Amino acid sequence: MPATDHLVRRLRGTVLPAVLTPMDAGGVVDVDALRGYAERVAAGPIGGVAVWAHTGRGLYLREADRLRVLGTWRAAVDGPLVAGAGVPRSVRATGLRAAVDATVAMAVQAAEGGADAVMVYPLAQLDGDDEAAVALHEEVAAASGLPVLGFLLHGEAGGYPYSPQLVTRLLALPASAGIKLATLDRAVACQDAIRAAHPGRKLVITGEDRMFGPSLMWGADTALVGIAAARVPLTSAVLDAWRAEDHGGFVRASARLDAFAAATFRAPIEGYVQRMLWAAAWEGLIPEEVAHDPYGPRLPSSEREAVVTCLEVLAQHADGP
């Protein structure tokens, strides 16, 4: 498929932030803040963006807000836009067919809103049924007309462990542009998935915020990560150094990114969205009053202080490890 091949060429070796959604404490999306955030992120070293992902609470947003988010980023970003497609929390999907239909409908909305590809959320009901998982991706691609990305998502975020065999089958689909790996802390699972993906044929996309540098060494060639929602240059520096074979620069950049990841991607893991919102506010990307995640766990003020302290240290030692 020409569109799929073109997308692979455009995205390989780039960083796509899984962007945040500025909201108040009641979950109301601030459109002005969203627009400003999109303009600032779009000006950075990105290859595109990912909307409706877990970091942006895509499955929690009301339909009107999802479409507003997509439209805002489409207007701000010239590069490829990837949209997540899954089962919105507002949909009463009581069976597998209903869940598949909801995922397909979200993918079609993404296509109609100007997305260049869809990333298919894993349906936990399909754990162990590779045939149904492959069929889901085929149906999404056929209905939306867009290239698809697989999404190996850890269970803490609602996914399930794809087998290496399923990874290989998904990437063999004509409409497949690649697969995003977000195993959280499962190094062996990440390595096995990368090996099964046969790096170089389709995109092997790291979403491994806590294993970012290692995942590149294992064979990932592109990044779609929540940690870049607030710190794009910090993330892109690691990927750029690796691709340039600047091993010293890679080690230094990885150490900085790892420090930030340790402050944000920690237990409770679902709290990472709130921590990234705090980081984005500290960076001046969004106003403080819309740095709220109403869908995650409540975190004590000490958590925010830890994130800010990390950012301050990184700012003070911008050229060091």
Side-chain angles (χ1 to χ4, degrees):
M1 295 180 67
T4 300
D5 294 341
H6 180 64
L7 183 74
V8 170
R9 288 194 296 271
R10 291 191 70 183
L11 290 185
R12 194 183 301 279
T14 69
V15 171
L16 290 84
V19 291
L20 299 157
T21 303
M23 293 180 277
D24 66 16
V28 176
V29 176
D30 188 308
V31 178
D32 290 336
L34 175 64
R35 188 177 300 114
Y37 172 53
E39 291 171 354
R40 294 180 183 96
V41 171
I46 62 173
V49 297
V51 301
W52 301 355
H54 197 70
T55 309
R57 294 302 190 196
L59 297 182
Y60 291 82
L61 299 176
R62 295 177 301 174
E63 181 176 322
D65 284 334
R66 280 202 308 276
L67 295 177
R68 197 171 290 117
V69 165
L70 176 58
T72 300
W73 284 99
R74 182 68 287 170
V77 177
D78 292 329
L81 190 155
V82 176
V87 183
R89 294 297 187 266
S90 60
V91 173
R92 302 294 181 181
T94 56
L96 179 56
R97 186 63 249 174
V100 170
D101 288 345
T103 300
V104 171
M106 195 168 171
V108 170
Q109 282 188 333
E112 293 173 346
D116 298 288
V118 288
M119 182 175 67
V120 183
Y121 279 93
L123 295 180
Q125 304 100 303
L126 300 182
D127 189 0
D129 189 346
D130 288 2
E131 293 296 331
V134 171
L136 168 65
H137 288 73
E138 290 177 322
E139 193 166 342
V140 166
S144 68
L146 294 177
V148 297
L149 297 176
F151 189 9
L152 198 171
L153 179 65
H154 59 88
E156 288 87 341
Y160 69 93
Y162 288 0
S163 66
Q165 293 77 17
L166 178 56
V167 170
T168 299
R169 290 188 63 185
L170 290 178
L171 292 182
L173 296 175
S176 172
I179 188 166
K180 170 181 170 169
L181 307 176
T183 65
L184 182 61
D185 56 4
R186 295 156 180 80
V188 173
C190 182
Q191 292 170 348
D192 288 348
I194 290 173
R195 191 174 298 112
H198 303 294
R201 300 181 185 178
K202 302 287 181 71
L203 297 173
V204 181
I205 305 169
T206 180
E208 304 290 3
D209 305 87
R210 289 301 301 263
M211 301 187 294
F212 191 84
S215 68
L216 298 178
M217 292 188 285
W218 298 333
D221 55 28
T222 304
L224 193 166
V225 284
I227 204 166
R231 298 304 306 267
V232 174
L234 191 67
T235 309
S236 62
V238 183
L239 180 58
D240 291 346
W242 177 252
R243 289 177 59 81
E245 298 185 2
D246 175 7
H247 297 154
F250 174 72
V251 170
R252 291 189 294 273
S254 289
R256 290 169 55 78
L257 185 65
D258 286 347
F260 183 51
T264 48
F265 285 79
R266 51 186 293 181
I269 290 299
E270 272 298 283
Y272 92 87
V273 176
Q274 180 60 75
R275 299 184 193 103
M276 292 306 300
L277 284 161
W278 286 331
W282 187 88
E283 291 281 344
L285 297 174
I286 61 174
E288 289 277 357
E289 58 268 22
V290 291
H292 294 280
D293 174 28
Y295 306 110
R298 285 182 169 274
L299 300 178
S301 59
S302 59
E303 292 265 1
R304 184 182 185 281
E305 292 167 5
V307 171
V308 170
T309 297
C310 177
L311 290 168
E312 290 174 342
V313 170
L314 289 173
Q316 292 168 4
H317 303 88
D319 298 321

